[in-house]
Amino acid sequence: MHRFDVETLAAGRWRNGGGATREIVSWPVGAEEFRWRASVADIDRDGPFSAFPGVDRTLTLLAGDGVRLTAPGAFDRTARAEEPLAFPGDLEAAAELRGGACRVLNIMVRRGHAVARVERVTGPVVPAGGHAGVLHVLRGRWRTDAGESPLVAGQGVWWDGNDGAPGRAVTPLSPDAAALWADVVPVG
């Protein structure tokens, strides 16, 4: 498992100036085209979302009052705190902030290569064999089996299907613990 802290990840500004993205992982690392990708985005203002043809996205609000995503005639949903919102990346979507800047966890998978299930968890997470994934801490303290210092809000771990993560649990250490778990399952 690979640890991360969102605050230490390099932030890259969007081409349209409406936000910045901190990439957790793009798999395979260094490849021109990802199979799956995890990032945290800070959305500063209303505006267009980049289209990603052939990609399925799941966006989860981490901070802020919400963001409404619309694609005329196809999609109109509002992302709310800690509720994963899945949508096709092919859409030319626009974002409307519900009360100012917000931060989101963004999981993207290339259709035909992987599918992702993102959920809010409060109990132990044990990756399945061959699956990749990300665990992003929302609250409380979490422990990995590696015996490292506890993970806290804004930190987490990611793994790919070859990492030997199966059987290595990520476990809550405090009663208020909550996290987002993205289980990335290979297709074919």
Side-chain angles (χ1 to χ4, degrees), residues 5-26 34 37-44 48-50 52 57 59 62 102-108:
D5 184 327
V6 171
E7 296 308 320
T8 65
L9 299 174
R13 293 295 302 170
W14 294 356
R15 281 179 266 157
N16 69 8
T21 296
R22 297 168 189 264
E23 186 173 89
I24 297 168
V25 61
S26 182
F34 65 81
R37 179 176 183 242
S39 63
V40 170
D42 294 307
I43 306 171
D44 300 334
F49 253 41
S50 296
F52 284 89
R57 298 177 72 169
L59 181 138
L62 300 173
C102 64
R103 177 172 273 189
V104 297
L105 175 67
N106 189 29
I107 304 294
M108 297 192 287

Side-chain angles (χ1 to χ4, degrees), residues 35-38 55-60 84-87 105-119 131-134 181-187:
R35 286 192 190 119
W36 67 277
R37 179 176 183 242
V55 171
D56 290 321
R57 298 177 72 169
T58 303
L59 181 138
T60 308
L85 173 63
F87 62 100
L105 175 67
N106 189 29
I107 304 294
M108 297 192 287
V109 294
R110 186 138 336 258
R111 214 170 287 128
H113 292 278
V115 294
R117 186 187 81 237
V118 181
E119 63 182 293
H131 292 205
V134 175
W181 173 33
D183 184 24
V184 179
V185 183
V187 174

Side-chain angles (χ1 to χ4, degrees), residues 167-180:
R168 293 181 59 197
V170 184
T171 309
L173 295 174
S174 57
D176 64 336
L180 291 171

